[in-house]
Amino acid sequence: MAVLHEGSHRTILDLGSGGGFPGIPLAAALPASRVTLLDSVAKKVAFLDAARRAIGLAGRVDAVKGRAEELAVGGGHGHRPGPGTGPWDVVTARAVGSLADLVELALPLLAAGGRLVAWKRGEIADELVGAVAAARALGAGAPAVHAVPAGLGLDRHVLVTLLKERPTPPGYPRDPAARKRRPW
């Protein structure tokens, strides 16, 4: 996919991996990448762990139970960034809340020059307004919207990307209650 080939993708973090999409297909398609699948639900992480082992990706794919907020402040649940993990070159997400929330969750986890790739569907104009404000405050450029190629049966789906240009200020991401009280 051209969106991923624009920069480094040596390390990828898939937020809210759920059933493993897009993390597992990306790991299969990008054999030089190290992929971390993150989900807060233990049953989903157990499935992801079994899936990565069953398809021969256990050597370069990790399934981790936790939340982005925990990972950003030093690991959480025993997973500490180390060789091949965070800060990540790419953070991906599908169905993980609003775009502004996703920007706030992802940017602290990205290396300088890293990219957020968010799978979105439907009308996102209002979400983009909040995402622009969050990106500006947290160290990224403006979001870019990429159409999903026609013929895939994914009408109204887009990929939204952001490039991390400078360090994220301390204190981010905020906890979910703080993000709800003061959205972007």
Side-chain angles (χ1 to χ4, degrees):
M1 166 174 281
V3 169
L4 285 178
H5 291 292
E6 292 173 0
S8 175
H9 49 77
R10 187 180 60 78
T11 57
I12 299 172
L13 172 64
D14 185 26
L15 292 180
S17 290
F21 185 80
I24 289 175
L26 287 174
L30 301 167
S33 296
R34 178 96 186 152
V35 178
T36 302
L37 308 171
L38 181 71
D39 204 283
S40 63
V41 179
K43 284 184 179 182
K44 292 177 181 179
V45 174
F47 166 78
L48 293 169
D49 186 51
R52 75 185 180 95
R53 285 185 280 114
I55 59 178
L57 296 174
R60 56 190 188 79
V61 174
D62 295 311
V64 176
K65 181 184 179 300
R67 299 182 57 84
E69 298 92 342
E70 297 163 344
L71 209 54
V73 295
H77 295 280
H79 186 77
R80 300 278 184 251
T85 64
W88 285 267
D89 297 323
V90 177
V91 172
T92 61
R94 182 184 66 85
V96 180
S98 76
L99 198 48
D101 274 352
L102 187 53
V103 168
E104 184 169 338
L105 292 171
L107 282 178
L109 299 168
L110 283 167
R115 286 162 297 125
L116 167 63
V117 180
W119 183 275
K120 297 302 279 182
R121 179 179 66 165
E123 181 55 47
I124 64 166
D126 290 342
E127 284 191 57
L128 283 169
V129 172
V132 167
R136 187 178 306 124
L138 299 178
V145 179
H146 308 269
V148 174
L152 296 178
L154 300 170
D155 298 340
R156 301 186 63 221
H157 286 81
V158 295
L159 294 176
V160 180
T161 61
L162 290 115
L163 178 67
K164 183 171 181 173
E165 298 173 339
R166 62 188 185 284
T168 301
Y172 292 98
R174 299 170 295 164
D175 66 69
R179 289 196 310 270
K180 188 173 184 173
R181 280 191 310 272
R182 272 192 68 211
W184 296 96

